[in-house]
Amino acid sequence: MYLGLDIGGVRVGVASLNGLEGVPAPLGTFLRSNGQAEAEILRLIVDREVKTLVVGWPLNDASEKTPQCDSVERFCKRISRRAPGVEITYVDEYASTVEAEERFFEARAGQSRKRRDRARERGVLDALAAVTILEIFKNSLQGGNS
């Protein structure tokens, strides 16, 4: 079992992938304040017997580390200390949020702007970005084939 993480400054989007033949699915979004996201991710690791965390690495368009990479790395180190048997794999998440937004608006094309904005505020985009991160990971292992 793989968990995909889109780690932002306020929220962490989470998605799951059950084997490389499966399809990634959004699980939700958790707030980082007071360690809530860490606690939820650790619970998911145990409950779903997660072996690998696939974490979005927020490189810039020149594939260079950004200041956000340091924050992501610190978050992952805290998880790793509390779940030492779980492998952490970083994937370049460049443009994953843009792709998530495209999916989000496509799926909600018939909804009012107010409803779309409320869904966005609930962090739906973060979970969709985590799905995209898992898809990038899966495609990289399969040689770029879908």
Side-chain angles (χ1 to χ4, degrees), residues 4-133:
L5 304 180
D6 178 46
I7 302 170
V10 176
R11 293 180 297 266
V12 178
V14 181
S16 67
L17 175 63
N18 191 5
L20 295 177
E21 299 304 315
V23 176
L27 290 179
T29 305
F30 306 109
L31 294 174
R32 287 188 63 176
S33 63
N34 300 320
Q36 293 173 9
E38 288 177 39
E40 288 297 328
I41 291 165
L42 289 165
R43 182 186 59 76
L44 287 167
I45 288 170
V46 171
D47 291 352
R48 294 178 179 250
E49 299 178 4
V50 173
K51 301 296 180 214
T52 304
L53 294 179
V54 181
V55 181
W57 197 233
L59 302 173
N60 64 21
D61 58 354
S63 297
E64 300 167 335
K65 277 181 77 172
T66 63
Q68 181 65 16
C69 287
D70 294 331
S71 174
V72 168
E73 198 169 33
R74 285 190 303 273
F75 183 92
C76 290
K77 282 182 181 178
R78 288 192 300 273
I79 294 288
S80 182
R81 281 194 297 270
R82 295 173 67 190
V86 175
E87 178 184 346
I88 297 177
T89 300
Y90 296 98
V91 298
D92 183 356
E93 70 166 19
Y94 185 72
S96 66
T97 300
V98 171
E99 186 172 326
E101 284 180 341
E102 288 173 2
R103 289 180 184 189
F104 175 81
F105 285 111
E106 185 177 297
R108 288 168 174 74
Q111 291 183 347
S112 70
R113 180 183 170 119
K114 186 176 180 178
R115 266 186 86 148
R116 287 193 313 257
D117 288 347
R118 267 201 314 266
R120 178 185 269 176
E121 288 170 10
R122 289 193 309 262
V124 172
L125 285 174
D126 299 313
L128 290 176
V131 166
T132 302
I133 288 164

